[in-house]
Amino acid sequence: LLGEWFLGCLLLLYLLFPILKWGIEKHPIITAVIIIAVYAIGPFVYHGTIPTGNYFVFRIPEFAFGMYFIHYGGKVKWPVALVSGGILAYAAIADLTTVDVLYKNTVVGIVTFLFVTWLCTFIKWDFFYKICGTIGKYAYAVFLTHHVISNEIVFHFAGRIFTRLENYIF
């Protein structure tokens, strides 16, 4: 059902939180190497029924990224923002159809977060942050509603190959 895999994934990730927190605080490099290795190799050896994009083990890098980000100060310097923006631009124009969606989602998600976080350092308008706070309160419900609507639209267009422009419009 809608949202159940996501809630289950979050619960499992939060159960791992104490172990990840300990690893990030006591052995940050070893922990990162293990997370990256499981993420990089795991989808090739995993043969379960849960899609890789929904399997909580393969969502650990995004979860751990947030933990590392906070642990190391939560700031984005301009060189990181520049690289993130470059990756976003490349992802927007490149043909990445042969890249597994799991890897695309992780990389695009992380670099988008870094770039937007950097951009927000230039916004000094309190009203902007109030708007974002309000949107944040309702984001999950909107996210679920969006998926219901998207599923209906996708069902209507099933079997059709969209151009890159049509994908952006969609």
Side-chain angles (χ1 to χ4, degrees):
L1 295 173
L2 183 66
E4 286 185 4
W5 80 265
F6 182 69
L7 289 175
C9 183
L10 284 177
L11 289 173
L12 292 169
L13 288 171
Y14 279 114
L15 287 174
L16 283 179
F17 177 82
I19 296 166
L20 289 170
K21 185 176 186 301
W22 175 84
I24 289 167
E25 289 176 350
K26 303 292 184 192
H27 307 283
I29 295 172
I30 293 170
T31 302
V33 167
I34 291 169
I35 290 168
I36 291 167
V38 169
Y39 176 73
I41 298 166
F44 296 103
V45 296
Y46 170 73
H47 299 293
T49 57
I50 300 170
T52 56
N54 295 5
Y55 189 44
F56 85 99
V57 171
F58 303 132
R59 304 317 290 240
I60 291 172
E62 294 142 308
F63 193 72
F65 168 79
M67 295 173 71
Y68 276 101
F69 184 78
I70 296 300
H71 183 72
Y72 288 104
K75 301 258 190 243
V76 179
K77 296 183 178 176
W78 74 265
V80 173
L82 183 66
V83 170
S84 297
I87 293 170
L88 284 174
Y90 178 76
I93 60 173
D95 179 13
L96 300 174
T97 54
T98 59
V99 179
D100 189 308
V101 70
L102 172 69
Y103 301 125
K104 285 189 284 195
N105 286 348
T106 302
V107 171
V108 170
I110 288 173
V111 298
T112 300
F113 170 82
L114 290 170
F115 190 73
V116 170
T117 299
W118 176 77
L119 281 178
C120 285
T121 62
F122 299 104
I123 300 172
K124 306 295 182 203
W125 191 30
D126 288 338
F127 187 65
F128 171 78
Y129 292 100
K130 286 182 181 180
I131 290 169
C132 290
T134 301
I135 291 170
K137 287 180 189 176
Y138 304 104
Y140 186 65
V142 170
F143 173 76
L144 293 180
T145 304
H146 154 79
H147 275 73
V148 170
I149 293 167
S150 293
N151 285 341
E152 288 299 316
I153 293 171
V154 167
F155 178 74
H156 180 72
F157 291 104
R160 180 159 179 245
I161 306 295
F162 284 13
T163 66
R164 184 174 289 126
L165 177 62
E166 287 173 323
N167 270 317
Y168 285 121
I169 292 169
F170 182 70

